[in-house]
Amino acid sequence: MSEQDGLLSSRANASYSATASPHSGAAEAATVTFNSVRYSLLIRRGPPCCFPPERKEILLGVSGVFQPGMNAVLGPTGSGKSSLLDVIAGRKNPQNLTGTILINGEPPPKNFKCVSGYVVQEDVVMGTLTVRENLLFSAALRLPASVSRYDRGRRVAELLDQLGLTGVADSRIGTQLTRGVSGGERRRTSIGMELIASPKVLFLDEPTTGLDASTANSVMRILRNISRRGTTIIFSIHQPRYEIFKTFDSLTLLSKGQIVYHGDSVTSLDYFQRLGYVCEMHNNPLDFYMDILSGDARPTEVDSAAVKVNFDHQDSVQGWLVATYQGSEVWRDVNARIAPVLEAFSNRQMRGYRPQSTANNPTYQTSFFRQLAVVSQRATKNLLRNPQTSIAQLVLNVLFSVLVGLIYLQIPADTISGVQNRVGVFFFTTMNMVFGNMGALELFLHERTIFVHESVSGYYRVSVYFLAKVFCDLIPMRLVPLMLYSPISYFMIGLNPRLDKFFVYFLNLLLVSMAGSSLAFFLSATVSVFAIATIFLALSFVFMMVFAGLLVNVSTMGEWLSWAKYLSIFRYSMNALSINEMKDLQFCNETANICFDLGNKYLSDQGIPYENEIDLWINEIALGGFIFGFLVLAYVQLRRSGKFR
Ligand SMILES: Nc1ncnc2c1ncn2[C@@H]1O[C@H](COP(=O)(O)OP(=O)(O)OP(=O)(O)O)[C@@H](O)[C@H]1O
């Protein structure tokens, strides 16, 4: 078996079987074996023209075994702790990986990301929901559909109790604007969301970062209790205190992507003592290890192998520590545990064994429609508990409709101002509909970390999140305000009183508003910095506005530039509104008592086709095309961002 095959067949196949845990009381447990895992990335240091991409090695052939219990991964910042966790958890692009990862001697199943738990460093709990609601959300999506609502509630109550969260179960988590539960309670909620489905392997990326010493201690004690029920807990951690060190079963020390120690945490002190490093009595061993890795601590007795080491030079110390570890008893012991597992797997493969395909196994615990219901419910709750933006949108629309109604109040169809006022009102209204959508940029940007985490962890399909978010935005933020804006403005202005004309006006405003917001959704799913997304959106709108037909007559534009009119949602909207109102409209000079066919003349002068019924609808179809196109692009971008961490 090639190493590549071993690891990456892991992605392709197999459900993973359970073996008895070395820990008492564990009915099912998982032992993670990894061998020669290399992870590298192509990094570009400048513009593609001048800087070819360079390969950066992040993990340089690391091997080890994580058993049920508390497995700590430590190392200086940038040593590759998070990368190691992500790689084992199947959250990195397999194209950048080589090596073997086995769970209980089998390649991890394709849906390993969904059946294991991963608590990320960032906050990924919904701030507007309570602690209990967040856990219920996870339970509704991560437990099989066959588990009843009652049982889900019970499981959540059990977890709240286990994590010491019962007292704050009905408190909101809190957002940037409103204070909620404490940092420790928030972190425990994140852990609870991952524990819902009782994963056999739980990964935690720096679970104590940002917590005070006693909260960090209580989080680690909880994790230790969970590990004693047979869960393999693998976590990275930064400079924990001694109390926390005592909760570890195994310790992995990483330095620049290489392992300098992987074994029992208790005997780690003896190991370093044998290298000549003596930890003073009151020194925290983990602080001491960090000092060793950085070269700040020196062996008190330097043996012959270490004579050539330049202890003033970190790379020299690191190279010596790695080499010493690879020649040590500790490594031989690790290797003795890895080798039979690899051999057994390789023998099975040679005998023609192919891991059971999971291609037909459901990756998600729940159906598309159930996911849609649960995610939409959360999005609606979020909106109702954070109503400022939707109320502002509604109020602004009413204010603008009254304003535009007062400015253009009951416009007459006279020869002097009739055409100008109508064109003015269409431009103003279209501009209002398009620029009123700048807020839609928040849609995917705001919750990106939560979405990436939940999508990678298999809470729901990307399409579910996309549909839930889009509908929960379009209905309250675009459709409802428009239902007030359209009748107020239309009838105050005094446009054609025919009901069918009003409906075309309403439909057109809805389409142009949706087209503008769809472009905003696309940018929101593509760009991760709000300010940059705003600049792109504003520039696109201004570009489209120039070709609307009011600021410049597009029929007189040079051919080299006139194609741009087809990219303007302003133009389609202006054309449709103009045809709807002006076609066959007579403009009269009351003093001379004479009427002119100025409506048709205006349309002809602007090069707007209007004679056939379809001429109006082509504009609405084009707006529909923009909506569809931008939504598809937004979905594709969302899929891309929700694949790997
Ligand atoms: N996507 C990436 N692009 C560029 N460099 C990366 C990327 N991911 C990781 N690295 C680099 O790989 C190295 C290891 O990163 P990793 O996040 O795994 O370290 P870490 O030990 O977890 O650090 P920290 O303790 O600061 O979280 C770092 O030098 C980091 O800059």
Side-chain angles (χ1 to χ4, degrees), residues 75-93:
T77 177
S79 56
K81 303 180 292 293
S82 309
S83 302
L84 178 62
L85 260 60
D86 286 349
V87 163
I88 296 178
R91 286 165 187 246
K92 290 286 189 206
N93 190 342

Side-chain angles (χ1 to χ4, degrees), residues 545-612:
M545 198 166 76
V546 173
F547 296 93
L550 182 79
L551 304 179
V552 58
N553 188 317
V554 284
S555 57
T556 62
M557 217 175 245
E559 248 180 49
W560 66 276
L561 194 56
S562 63
W563 55 268
K565 66 187 176 200
Y566 297 111
L567 300 179
S568 170
I569 56 176
F570 281 77
R571 179 174 157 268
Y572 294 112
S573 170
M574 290 283 290
N575 283 3
L577 290 172
S578 303
I579 299 172
N580 188 43
E581 174 69 14
M582 309 268 237
K583 185 178 170 186
D584 299 332
L585 186 65
Q586 297 283 311
F587 290 81
C588 301
N589 182 333
E590 282 181 9
T591 342
N593 209 9
I594 182 165
C595 289
F596 298 97
D597 211 1
L598 286 186
N600 290 352
K601 181 170 184 323
Y602 169 79
L603 295 171
S604 305
D605 288 350
Q606 291 295 315
I608 303 172
Y610 64 94
E611 273 151 8
N612 304 314

Side-chain angles (χ1 to χ4, degrees), residues 23 30 65-74 191 202 204 207-208 216-237 243-252 262-266:
H23 281 264
V65 180
F66 290 131
Q67 284 189 306
M70 295 284 278
N71 300 279
V73 180
L74 255 101
I191 296 174
L202 176 64
L204 300 105
T208 56
N217 214 6
S218 94
V219 167
M220 294 310 285
R221 267 202 315 271
I222 291 168
L223 288 174
R224 185 172 170 84
N225 289 341
I226 293 163
S227 77
R228 289 304 172 258
R229 292 175 202 155
T231 308
T232 305
I233 299 190
I234 306 170
F235 56 95
S236 65
I237 196 159
E243 276 299 303
I244 290 180
F245 173 64
K246 286 198 294 188
T247 63
F248 300 173
D249 293 308
S250 96
L251 176 67
T252 304
H262 173 73
D264 198 300
S265 66
V266 178

Side-chain angles (χ1 to χ4, degrees), residues 496-513:
N496 194 325
R498 269 171 50 189
L499 214 55
D500 59 330
K501 298 270 182 191
F502 167 71
F503 280 119
V504 171
Y505 174 82
F506 174 75
L507 176 74
N508 184 77
L509 295 196
L510 180 64
L511 289 175
V512 75
S513 167

Side-chain angles (χ1 to χ4, degrees), residues 129-145:
L129 304 192
T130 65
V131 171
R132 190 193 304 279
E133 284 168 340
N134 270 299
L135 294 187
L136 282 170
F137 174 79
S138 176
L141 297 171
R142 303 195 87 188
L143 291 176

Side-chain angles (χ1 to χ4, degrees), residues 10 47 71 75 96 109 167 214 249 313 319 336 399 420 431 439 444 475 495 499 519 521 547 583 599 616 620:
S10 63
N71 300 279
N96 299 323
S214 74
D249 293 308
H313 201 280
L399 282 180
Q420 186 190 0
M431 207 168 69
F444 300 121
I475 295 170
L495 296 172
L499 214 55
L519 174 56
F521 295 162
F547 296 93
K583 185 178 170 186
L616 173 105
E620 310 298 21

